[in-house]
Amino acid sequence: MQNHFYNENKQRGTFDFPFELYHIDSSHPRYVMDYHWHMEYEIVRVLEGILHMTIDGSDFTVRPGELAFITGGSLHAGVPGACIYQCIVFDLNPFLSQNPRCRAHLQRVADHAVFVQRFFSPRAGEGDLCQIAGNVFEAMEQRPLGYEMNVFGELYHFFGEVFAKHLYAEESSRTRRDSRKSAQLKAVLDFMEDNYTAPLTLDELAAAVHMSPRYFCRFFREMTHRTPVDYLNYLRVEHAARLLASSGVSVTEAAYSCGFNDLSYFIKIYKKYKGITPGKERR
């Protein structure tokens, strides 16, 4: 998630075992899960604290013992609250090249004909699914001899329980509408990423997704819970922080190269998001 609003395209694990485990705490450079998407699937679990997640515009809070499931291509983000969490990102394709009887079900997932539910909790009677996923995390973390078979086996078990208990939604006009809204948000986030150094206006942001400025503001806030200007400032500050930490540029250079044209305003906004001034960040 080094680039914000970025379609991640990277190798997970190895070619013949495309599974990757991420362990994330407050010292991790990607502690806050910025908006991004990738074509692999992902399971998130919380070990301590809480993680406020948004997946394709739907919001929920993940607590210890609970899971978030992210379908390939879904736009998602997470804001931790004194949180330690883990993510397993995996490619579904190896499952599609195996037993045809299993492939028929998982192909429906890959084709987005069905959508696995996004949140699992023991409080909803889904403790068995959470435990099965927990077994995958433990295998990936401890890596005993033969753990790869455990990972494949437990994920087959996970999807089998999803289908057996109908913990998924069929494609519908609602899911198509949600997918369309997610695609529109991806488009404007990409536009911000490509043009954050320019003096962007609300009209330009709205035009990027063919909306009126008034409707665009409502749409953007509904999807991200922030105003477009607030999010653009956040994006600029994150880019400025990386410059200050890695390139040795001055505070003024960082401000102007990241789209701010007023130094005092930059310092104010930087402190709002980072809790310290850019000068302290640079030192």
Side-chain angles (χ1 to χ4, degrees):
M1 290 160 261
Q2 195 67 290
N3 291 315
H4 296 264
F5 320 138
Y6 184 65
N7 177 6
E8 289 190 340
N9 183 17
K10 57 184 290 188
Q11 176 68 49
R12 313 289 183 177
T14 61
F15 176 77
D16 56 353
F17 188 71
F19 301 84
E20 194 76 51
L21 171 68
Y22 300 93
H23 183 93
I24 302 167
D25 59 23
S26 58
S27 66
H28 198 281
R30 298 178 295 187
Y31 181 50
V32 175
M33 187 189 297
D34 295 316
Y35 273 102
H36 68 290
W37 65 94
H38 39 70
M39 297 315 297
E40 297 91 351
Y41 290 70
E42 183 172 1
I43 301 175
V44 180
R45 75 168 178 175
V46 170
L47 301 178
E48 294 180 15
I50 57 176
L51 182 64
H52 303 287
M53 290 208 67
T54 300
I55 303 177
D56 285 338
S58 296
D59 304 309
F60 45 88
T61 300
V62 187
R63 295 175 173 82
E66 300 174 334
L67 300 174
F69 183 89
I70 300 162
T71 295
S74 290
L75 182 65
H76 56 285
V79 179
C83 182
I84 299 175
Y85 64 101
Q86 294 179 319
C87 310
I88 287 179
V89 183
F90 62 96
D91 191 340
L92 203 60
N93 284 321
F95 296 92
L96 303 179
S97 61
Q98 304 299 323
N99 187 297
R101 294 288 294 274
C102 299
R103 183 173 66 236
H105 295 293
L106 291 174
Q107 191 67 57
R108 298 176 68 200
V109 177
D111 292 342
H112 293 175
V114 300
F115 295 85
V116 176
Q117 72 180 36
R118 295 163 175 157
F119 178 67
F120 296 90
S121 173
R123 292 177 296 166
E126 296 154 356
D128 53 345
L129 269 296
C130 296
Q131 181 58 57
I132 292 167
N135 294 339
V136 180
F137 280 96
E138 297 306 320
M140 289 290 294
E141 196 166 28
Q142 298 173 12
R143 299 196 172 204
L145 182 65
Y147 80 97
E148 297 92 342
M149 290 184 285
N150 291 334
V151 170
F152 271 105
E154 292 291 2
L155 281 172
Y156 270 120
H157 190 186
F158 179 87
F159 283 113
E161 289 295 301
V162 166
F163 278 99
K165 297 180 178 179
H166 210 282
L167 300 176
Y168 62 89
E170 304 277 355
E171 185 186 32
S172 64
S173 58
R174 179 178 178 180
T175 58
R176 287 192 294 272
R177 184 172 65 251
D178 288 347
S179 295
R180 184 172 63 252
K181 290 169 70 175
S182 180
Q184 289 173 310
L185 183 58
K186 288 177 183 177
V188 74
L189 295 179
D190 269 341
F191 182 78
M192 286 183 175
E193 176 68 28
D194 292 339
N195 298 281
Y196 70 90
T197 60
L200 293 174
T201 65
L202 183 60
D203 287 347
E204 289 173 316
L205 293 175
V209 283
H210 311 291
M211 296 179 185
S212 70
R214 182 176 180 180
Y215 179 80
F216 171 72
C217 285
R218 187 165 66 247
F219 160 80
F220 195 91
R221 194 176 188 94
E222 174 192 339
M223 295 291 286
T224 69
H225 310 295
R226 301 168 96 161
T227 67
V229 172
D230 181 44
Y231 221 109
L232 182 59
N233 280 336
Y234 168 76
L235 170 63
R236 287 168 168 164
V237 164
E238 288 298 309
H239 278 284
R242 285 200 288 275
L243 280 177
L244 291 169
S246 61
S247 66
V249 301
S250 69
V251 171
T252 301
E253 289 171 325
Y256 284 95
S257 65
C258 291
F260 291 96
N261 55 18
D262 183 299
L263 184 58
S264 61
Y265 181 68
F266 168 65
I267 294 171
K268 176 184 176 181
I269 294 298
Y270 195 99
K271 188 173 183 181
K272 171 186 173 182
Y273 289 119
K274 292 296 188 181
I276 60 173
T277 65
K280 287 184 178 180
E281 182 82 79
R282 185 173 183 273
R283 289 193 295 271

